């Protein structure tokens, strides 16, 4: 079939960037920790599974700050059930992100063992990684952003990495079963009250996923910092500006992009997951997911958000990792396979259907993290001009190789 030619357009977002994030972490922790780290104290530093800008040097800065105060730092994976919910899997995930004993200059202690550290006011048990619990102190590091499956005053951030990340598989599974919005903050409060949490490093990223702000705060300011930065994150969230859409082509998805592979705050998921959520615009008739990122290690959690996919994506799925994630969140629809086509071209053709190349409202993106550049069909050009988007070049054919795989974005 004749496919629409695409035009490259670019959006302007807030690209304010912190020039010295490593220095901000080091100086902030030195000031916040003060005399709270005694000589020889073992301090656990969290590391999650997301691809955060400057994660390696900022985590190393936390390690160095603890060492400078005479402490003995170690890294502990804080990623719930990710990595197949195994000690080795979580340690490997960190290594692939660049966090290892060699790069950090300290041990990485990975274990799925937890202890019950307390209970929420409603009687829900709260679990904490055993190594972190037995440490003399904990430093939490996380990006503050919108969550993909719930709305609240506090979503992803310092509280979540304590409650879900350090809750490991057992804690994450329980919290997702009961409901994130109702127990994440209550569980975090129990951990803050009963564990030796020393400080948190809260990171806000700009629209290019670059470090925008770093806030080093004591334990008593975790909740207020999460809430304040979440409001900022809403204001700078990159979006696809066209609504509705016939087709959204997503070149890649994965856990390093979003917990659900594709950020539901970007693709306007509506009632696609479980029929319970209203996640806003845009309304998309057909979402096409073409491939998994290398960094996701086969975890295709969120593939059920797509309507069509490709054989190459399905062949790359690690079903154990994916289903472990799905069973933890209990969002069953996120693990269901969409319609599978042999090639990228066939998937896009099927999504377009009978719509003509001049009338189909189609957008192609690299992933839901990188939205400065979009490829749009001609039908969207008048709206792009009205929105003040920059038009880069002339319409061009969608390029595929001999096997039907689309050319890189």
């Amino acid at each position: 079939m004749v496919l629409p030619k695409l035009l490259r357009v670019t959006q302007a977002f807030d690209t304010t960037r912190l020039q010295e994030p490593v220095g901000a972490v080091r100086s902030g922790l030195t000031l916040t920790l003060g005399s709270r780290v005694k000589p020889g104290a073992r301090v656990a530093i969290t590391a999650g599974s997301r691809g955060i800008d400057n994660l390696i040097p900022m985590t190393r800065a936390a390690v160095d700050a603890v060492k400078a105060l005479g402490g003995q730092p170690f890294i502990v994976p804080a990623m719930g059930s990710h990595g197949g919910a195994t000690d080795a899997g979580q340690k490997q995930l960190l290594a692939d992100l660049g966090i290892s004993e060699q790069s950090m200059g300290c041990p990485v202690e990975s274990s799925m063992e937890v202890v019950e550290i307390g209970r929420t006011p409603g009687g829900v048990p709260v679990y904490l990684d055993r190594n972190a619990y037995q440490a003399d102190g904990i430093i939490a590091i996380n990006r503050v952003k919108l969550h993909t499956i719930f709305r609240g005053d506090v979503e992803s951030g310092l509280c979540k990495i304590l409650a879900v990340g350090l809750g490991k598989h057992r804690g994450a599974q329980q919290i997702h079963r009961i409901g994130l919005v109702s127990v994440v903050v209550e569980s975090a409060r129990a951990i803050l009250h009963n564990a030796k949490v020393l400080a948190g490093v809260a990171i806000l990223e700009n629209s290019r996923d670059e470090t925008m702000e770093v806030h080093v705060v004591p334990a008593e300011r975790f909740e207020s910092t999460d809430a304040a930065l979440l409001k900022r994150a809403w204001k700078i969230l990159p979006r696809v500006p066209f609504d509705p859409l016939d087709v959204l082509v997503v070149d890649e998805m994965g856990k390093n992009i979003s917990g659900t592979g594709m950020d539901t705050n970007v693709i306007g998921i509506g009632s696609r997951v479980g029929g319970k959520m209203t996640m806003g615009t845009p309304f998309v008739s057909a979402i096409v997911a073409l491939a998994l990122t290398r960094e996701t290690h086969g975890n295709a959690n969120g593939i059920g958000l797509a309507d069509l996919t490709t054989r190459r994506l399905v062949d790359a799925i690690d079903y154990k990792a994916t289903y472990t994630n799905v069973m933890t969140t209990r969002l069953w629809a996120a693990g269901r396979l969409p319609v599978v086509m042999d090639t990228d071209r066939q998937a896009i053709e099927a999504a377009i259907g009978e719509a003509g190349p001049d009338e189909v409202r189609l957008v192609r993106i690299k992933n839901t993290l990188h939205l400065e550049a979009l490829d749009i069909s001609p039908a969207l050009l008048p709206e792009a001009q009205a929105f003040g988007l920059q038009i880069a070049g002339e319409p061009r054919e969608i390029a595929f190789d001999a096997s039907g795989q689309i050319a890189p974005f």
Side-chain angles (χ1 to χ4, degrees):
M1 67 182 290
V2 177
L3 296 176
K5 294 182 178 180
L6 300 183
L7 298 99
R8 177 64 55 88
V9 299
T10 58
Q11 306 186 84
F13 298 122
D14 187 343
T15 58
T16 302
R17 183 177 182 181
L18 184 63
Q19 295 301 313
E20 294 292 339
V22 172
V25 172
R26 185 181 296 112
S27 61
L29 282 175
T30 300
L31 180 64
T32 302
L33 296 176
S35 60
R36 301 174 72 184
V37 175
K38 305 299 182 183
R42 298 186 72 249
V43 178
I45 300 173
T46 70
S49 57
R50 300 290 187 264
I52 299 173
D53 187 41
N54 291 310
L55 179 63
I56 300 169
M58 287 193 294
T59 305
R60 179 61 191 253
V63 169
D64 292 342
V66 171
K67 286 183 176 180
L69 293 170
Q72 298 178 4
F74 65 95
I75 304 296
V76 57
M79 56 183 74
S81 63
H82 300 174
T86 67
D87 303 353
Q90 295 205 340
K91 191 169 185 177
Q92 184 60 51
L93 257 182
L94 290 188
D96 291 336
L97 288 173
I99 295 178
S100 63
E101 296 182 0
Q102 183 177 10
S103 65
M104 293 296 104
C106 72
V108 176
E109 299 186 9
S110 181
S111 171
M112 300 305 294
E113 291 188 30
V114 294
V115 297
E116 183 180 326
I117 194 172
R119 301 216 165 202
T120 69
V124 177
V126 178
Y127 299 104
L128 188 70
D129 176 281
R130 182 178 294 277
N131 289 325
Y133 175 72
Q134 293 175 342
D136 298 306
I138 301 169
I139 296 173
I141 302 175
N142 203 19
R143 174 178 55 197
V144 178
K145 64 187 291 290
L146 282 68
H147 201 272
T148 54
I149 61 172
F150 77 95
R151 294 277 77 90
D153 293 333
V154 170
E155 296 179 21
S156 290
L158 296 176
C159 289
K160 181 170 178 280
I161 206 165
L162 290 182
V164 180
L166 285 180
K168 312 302 285 201
H169 184 220
R170 188 172 184 181
Q173 188 175 44
Q174 174 178 257
I175 287 174
H176 281 92
R177 177 178 57 82
I178 297 171
L180 285 158
V181 68
S182 60
V183 293
V184 163
V185 172
E186 289 182 349
S187 297
R189 287 172 182 166
I191 293 171
L192 290 165
H193 184 264
N194 296 316
K196 302 168 185 175
V197 181
L198 300 176
V201 179
I203 303 158
L204 183 68
E205 292 187 341
N206 65 22
S207 59
R208 291 178 177 171
D209 312 308
E210 300 167 331
T211 309
M212 189 176 192
E213 298 175 12
V214 168
H215 299 262
V216 180
V217 297
E220 59 268 21
R221 287 177 52 195
F222 273 35
E223 190 174 337
S224 62
T225 298
D226 276 354
L229 292 185
L230 180 63
K231 292 179 180 178
R232 300 265 289 112
W234 263 110
K235 293 179 180 179
I236 61 177
L237 174 70
R239 291 178 170 87
V240 174
F242 306 100
D243 184 29
L245 287 176
D246 297 317
V247 180
L248 177 64
V249 178
V250 183
D251 277 25
E252 61 179 12
M253 60 172 287
K255 294 293 292 186
N256 60 310
I257 302 296
S258 172
T260 48
M262 299 176 287
D263 191 339
T264 55
N265 300 295
V266 171
I267 62 177
I269 204 59
S271 60
R272 286 174 181 259
V273 177
K276 302 175 182 177
M277 302 185 304
T278 53
M279 303 299 284
T281 58
F283 174 80
V284 184
S285 295
I287 295 176
V288 184
L290 299 180
L292 293 178
T293 62
R294 179 186 61 82
E295 295 85 353
T296 199
H297 291 281
N299 188 334
N301 183 54
I303 185 58
L305 307 182
D307 299 289
L308 298 103
T309 191
T310 64
R311 178 60 55 191
R312 67 181 175 116
L313 186 152
V314 172
D315 288 346
I317 294 176
D318 179 331
Y319 288 95
K320 182 179 185 301
T322 301
Y323 291 163
T324 297
N325 202 159
V326 170
M327 287 187 285
T328 299
T329 64
R330 303 188 71 79
L331 291 171
W332 309 114
R336 295 172 185 157
L337 286 182
V339 173
V340 181
M341 306 300 289
D342 285 336
T343 69
D344 296 2
R345 182 178 185 113
Q346 289 174 359
I348 295 170
E349 287 179 348
I352 293 173
E354 299 300 319
D358 294 327
E359 63 182 16
V360 64
R361 296 171 60 84
L362 181 150
V363 170
R364 178 192 176 194
I365 61 177
K366 178 178 175 61
N367 55 51
T368 57
L369 275 181
H370 300 100
L371 296 171
E372 278 193 312
L374 313 169
D375 282 350
I376 67 170
S377 59
L380 296 172
L381 180 57
E383 290 166 60
Q385 293 170 329
F387 295 152
L389 304 186
Q390 297 297 310
I391 313 298
E394 298 296 320
R396 63 194 187 282
E397 303 280 355
I398 304 177
F400 299 93
D401 63 19
S403 67
Q405 182 170 319
I406 201 165
F409 190 87

